Amino acid sequence: MLKIENLHATVADKPILKGLSLAINAGEIHAIMGPNGAGKSTLSYVLGGRPGYEVTEGSVTFEGQDLLDMEPHERAAAGLFLGFQYPVEIPGVSNVQFLRESLNAQRKARGLEPLSGGEFLKLAREKAALLKMDMDMLKRPVNVGFSGGEKKRNEMVQMGILDPRLAILDETDSGLDIDALRTVGDGINTIMRRPDKAVLLITHYQRLLDYVQPDFVHVLADGRIVKSGGPELARELEAHGYAEIAA
Ligand code: ADP
Ligand code: MG
Ligand code: MG
């Protein structure tokens, strides 16, 4: 589904990713862990097509297409979802409006009819119920005044409604209390643990991985993957720290 080969990227002319390779198949959940400043968020920004992140070498294909050649909205329409460490607030635009616009833009790019207001609300209600979310939250402006936990729950509803093929979630667990962590974990499992979907979970800590069991764990240090393994690698990292494992 996703194939990253020898990816090099710079931010403000500073090399950050230095030969990163990673392959993710449908049905798999991968976790990337690593010390602060390793380039984890840079990887998610590069995959999302954020301006200012320049790829200087290497390739990325998504479902066989050249991802780096696609505009950010084309990446989303192709089924890529990005969850961010710090979700943006959009005053004056309700979640319902925002999500309906986003979903319909993606449907249009796929040659599908837009959903009407009624059809969209029915879908939103279904997804909110599935994730045990409050519909009232969906009527509020996007993320405005939401607590850290609410933003992450909201991100799960966004993901449920947009129904991506591949979700890249950057530190979705940061700042969450135990209940919110469980909700997010359940959300990821409910929406994304399917044979035709895949997840790349970027996380600092092992704790989210207690709820979402990864198939593969990778250590990212200084811009490349320095070690890969199974779920046990996350526990080793937690016990021994990055310095020893990545050395
Ligand atoms: P991580 O998510 O693993 O903590 P990041 O990808 O956020 O790491 O950052 C990797 C490195 O890139 C850090 O050294 C950071 O300071 C640097 N960096 C990120 N954004 C910029 C920027 N806009 N200008 C200069 N350096 C940056
Ligand atoms: Mg960081
Ligand atoms: Mg980061």
Side-chain angles (χ1 to χ4, degrees), residues 11-12 14 16 34-43 53 85 170-171:
V11 183
K14 182 178 163 195
I16 308 291
N36 253 320
K40 303 185 298 298
S41 293
T42 300
L43 174 64
Y53 290 76
Q85 191 168 359
D170 187 8
E171 304 218 7

